[in-house]
């Protein structure tokens, strides 16, 4: 994605609780003379801020023109990940565009192949088995989180349907009472004018 040099850009990730999130990014700056995005100049970095659904700041750190950040979610819900360059140029002169390449991996634990190759075969199978168990636990947490979201959505839908039913009943009662009042008023009017 593209941002201005002094602009803050945020993305929202829906993450289950107790999940490791790893993000890699790389920043490129627009070169006016070459009309292309070039590798970032030295000294340009990015402030990365991560906020939990309860508005608690989980991560707030300055990184270089490319880097890796990670955090663990403690609550399930929408986490906000914000990026802003550390440019010190004034807003009037900071018209440069930045391109950010971002890769976010949620709940993945990567195997270190070099460590596995140095171990004997039994340990290799053991490490791979542990990795698979971690992935199963992650999938289970994701499913539990989705079930919880679906249950909340179902409760909200049922409450809305109940409210619509009661609103329809109230409207019907109001229309019937207004109709009865109009009939009585017209009958009284016609009797007073001796038209009936």
């Amino acid at each position: 994605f593209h941002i201005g040099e002094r602009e803050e850009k945020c993305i929202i990730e829906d993450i289950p609780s107790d999940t490791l999130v790893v993000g890699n990014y790389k920043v490129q700056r627009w070169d006016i003379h070459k009309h292309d995005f070039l590798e970032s100049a030295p000294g340009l970095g990015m402030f990365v801020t991560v906020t939990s659904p309860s508005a608690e700041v989980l991560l707030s750190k300055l990184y270089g023109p490319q880097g890796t950040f990670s955090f663990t979610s403690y609550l399930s819900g929408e986490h906000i990940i914000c990026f802003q360059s550390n440019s010190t140029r004034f807003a009037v002169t900071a018209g440069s565009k930045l391109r950010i390449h971002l890769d976010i991996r949620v709940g993945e634990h990567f195997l270190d192949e070099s460590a596995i190759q140095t171990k004997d075969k039994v340990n290799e199978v053991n490490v791979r088995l542990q990795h698979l168990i971690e992935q199963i636990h992650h999938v289970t947490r994701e499913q539990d989180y989705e079930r919880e979201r679906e249950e909340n959505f179902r409760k909200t839908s049922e409450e809305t349907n109940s409210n619509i039913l009661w609103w329809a009943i109230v409207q019907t009662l109001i229309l019937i009472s207004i109709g009865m009042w109009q009939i009585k008023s017209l009958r009284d009017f016609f009797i007073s004018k001796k038209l009936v």
Side-chain angles (χ1 to χ4, degrees):
F1 58 89
H2 295 163
I3 64 172
E5 195 169 338
R6 308 254 318 161
E7 180 183 356
E8 181 179 45
K9 187 80 158 194
C10 296
I11 60 171
I12 297 174
E13 280 288 325
D14 203 1
I15 304 170
S17 62
D18 298 324
T19 302
L20 175 67
V21 178
V22 178
N24 292 317
Y25 74 91
K26 178 178 155 185
V27 180
Q28 295 176 317
R29 179 179 280 165
W30 177 256
D31 189 336
I32 297 173
H33 305 295
K34 295 182 180 180
H35 297 288
D36 193 15
F37 284 98
L38 302 177
E39 296 304 314
S40 180
L44 181 67
M46 294 299 287
F47 285 108
V48 179
T49 307
V50 179
T51 309
S52 72
S54 64
E56 176 186 352
V57 176
L58 299 177
L59 174 71
S60 181
K61 191 172 178 184
L62 174 64
Y63 293 92
Q66 66 182 28
T68 300
F69 62 91
S70 63
F71 65 94
T72 302
S73 64
Y74 297 106
L75 295 173
S76 57
E78 294 181 343
H79 289 68
I80 301 171
I81 304 170
C82 297
F83 297 90
Q84 185 176 21
S85 73
N86 68 340
S87 174
T88 56
R89 295 167 63 181
F90 291 112
V92 176
T93 60
S96 182
K97 291 182 192 174
L98 301 176
R99 176 189 287 170
I100 299 177
H101 302 273
L102 179 63
D103 177 31
I104 295 180
R105 294 180 308 272
V106 177
E108 293 188 15
H109 300 281
F110 297 101
L111 293 174
D112 185 5
E113 295 295 331
S114 62
I116 291 175
Q117 290 173 357
T118 60
K119 308 280 184 179
D120 59 85
K121 293 294 181 188
V122 174
N123 286 340
E124 179 180 345
V125 171
N126 190 19
V127 169
R128 289 191 186 276
L129 184 62
Q130 288 294 339
H131 179 70
L132 288 174
I133 289 171
E134 286 179 12
Q135 287 181 334
I136 289 171
H137 287 302
H138 173 68
V139 168
T140 304
R141 281 195 306 269
E142 287 264 349
Q143 287 176 337
D144 290 342
Y145 177 60
E146 291 302 322
R147 272 191 217 104
E148 177 185 323
R149 289 186 63 199
E150 188 271 334
E151 183 180 335
N152 290 338
F153 180 74
R154 187 172 19 89
K155 285 180 183 176
T156 303
S157 296
E158 289 172 357
E159 289 174 4
T160 303
N161 288 339
S162 174
N163 290 341
I164 289 172
L165 174 67
W166 284 111
W167 179 245
I169 291 171
V170 168
Q171 282 181 327
T172 304
L173 291 175
I174 290 172
L175 286 173
I176 290 172
S177 56
I178 289 174
M180 298 289 284
W181 177 77
Q182 284 180 338
I183 290 172
K184 183 184 178 310
S185 296
L186 284 173
R187 194 173 130 230
D188 291 344
F189 174 75
F190 289 139
I191 290 174
S192 70
K193 296 292 182 181
K194 298 182 182 180
L195 296 174
V196 178

